[in-house]
Amino acid sequence: MPAPTSAPADPIGASAMPRRRVGRPAAAVLDQDGITTAALQLIGKSGYDGFTMAALARTLNVAPSALYNHVSSKRDVLVLVQDHLTSFVDVTAFEAGPWEQAVRDWAWSYRDVFSKHTPLIPVIAVLPVADAPKTLAMYEAVSAGFSRAGFPQERIIPAIVAFESFIFGSAYDATAPADIFDSGTMAEATPHFTSAVRRQAEDTHEKPADAAFRLGLEALLTGLGALRAA
Amino acid sequence: MPAPTSAPADPIGASAMPRRRVGRPAAAVLDQDGITTAALQLIGKSGYDGFTMAALARTLNVAPSALYNHVSSKRDVLVLVQDHLTSFVDVTAFEAGPWEQAVRDWAWSYRDVFSKHTPLIPVIAVLPVADAPKTLAMYEAVSAGFSRAGFPQERIIPAIVAFESFIFGSAYDATAPADIFDSGTMAEATPHFTSAVRRQAEDTHEKPADAAFRLGLEALLTGLGALRAA
DNA sequence: CCACTAAATGAATGTCGTTCATTTAGAATG
DNA sequence: CATTCTAAATGAACGACATTCATTTAGTGG
């Protein structure tokens, strides 16, 4: 996993907010950044099944209940992790260069980041952007890119949402077992499907999930790109 | 919620398999169909939070442990529910009529069914089709339609997967809170995004999630439809 | 009528997230 | 320097849960 891009990350300065009041007890063992980092590490090591408030506390050498002085629920921790992960999504190409390539870079990196974290998708997908500053920053960069590319203002958000929906669904698909389309004993009852599955397996040399993502992404690029002003 | 379409449902006869051995004790209180129906009812009444093995057993007047004679886990119940719900997805238009309209009917009904059951999406998205006969039947109908429409065989599965990924992601989006894009105190730090959100709110008369779904779906129809043979 | 067996029972287990009264230890105040 | 304030950590406890298992129940074939 790449390090967070130092310059482009957090362009709206969201993380520089006054969290500590003035400074009564300076020896704080815990804070949200530390919790986020430890959570990400734990998830990387143990997966989302092993990700437990107790396990998280253990890696921080702290009692589980201590976490609740800094986050209000486990879901809160997941939101922090999600927002942090979003800073790994590549939006640099929206600042300059052609719109198509910027969307490609963004979409592929977005899918790749969250295909390793699909349990977060139900969280992200319905999370108000105001609760996730880095995610908001991503939207600003993408919106600016769409605007610069000549999209009518009222179509920018729907177009981004369409891309994003496709990306989230594709992130799941990328984690599906390779034999997901094996029809087993039903094969002769589903001739069209079974034959299509076989023909695809013979044809493609890239991972099936990647082929589907590429196909859908290029279709969206063509279809939505047509909304731009000439 | 509509009743299962009697004729088009279960076209491969998946549900008519010999489940009962020969017939020792005929007074079985429980079976998979009964569990599925009760689960769907319970979910409709109490949502997925209230959906508990204990609660499910209570509606069936049975001890929780009795369920484990018929399903091996809670996830198993969710798989049964998911497969049952799939029979509500409309694939009738794939049998005749233009491909575009068939995909529209299919995609909108697919999204509508699962936007009321988003907790199932992580289950469906990675579930081998052999474990879900009705879902397999849906794929057969859709594959046949794509084939009839002139798609090259090796592109049928990737195209369906692309549509489906978009549909799953959009199902989440359809359940997002209306003010999800409210940037709050960050508004002036995200001018492009904030302005785009405002312009969209002024413009559209349909639900934002519906506008995004329509836009993306039509783009995919155009882009993927171009793969068909002339 | 007996033996077999699928199915239901109810108690028990272990894992969680979360709460809360209490303690701890720096920092500010006078 | 002593007192006071308070954020933060503690540890015990709770209430849900899914799941297991030894035991019981009750039809059915032989």
Side-chain angles (χ1 to χ4, degrees), chain A residues 23-24 26 52-53 65 68 74:
Chain A
R24 294 317 145 69
T52 282
M53 292 301 269
S65 53
Y68 289 86
K74 183 180 184 179

Side-chain angles (χ1 to χ4, degrees), chain B residues 37-61:
Chain B
T37 304
L40 201 51
Q41 241 179 303
L42 176 59
I43 289 165
K45 196 177 305 173
S46 317
Y48 281 88
D49 283 346
F51 177 58
T52 281
M53 292 301 268
L56 178 57
R58 199 174 318 122
T59 71
L60 288 161
N61 290 315

Side-chain angles (χ1 to χ4, degrees), chain B residues 210-225:
Chain B
D210 288 351
F213 185 65
R214 183 184 312 280
L215 203 63
L217 180 57
E218 295 303 320
L220 285 173
L221 278 167
T222 305
L224 296 179

Side-chain angles (χ1 to χ4, degrees), chain B residues 58-81:
Chain B
R58 199 174 318 122
T59 71
L60 288 161
N61 290 315
V62 134
S65 52
L67 296 169
Y68 289 87
N69 288 317
H70 304 272
V71 297
S72 65
S73 66
K74 183 178 184 179
R75 188 194 135 94
D76 250 44
V77 179
L78 293 178
V79 169
L80 290 172
V81 170

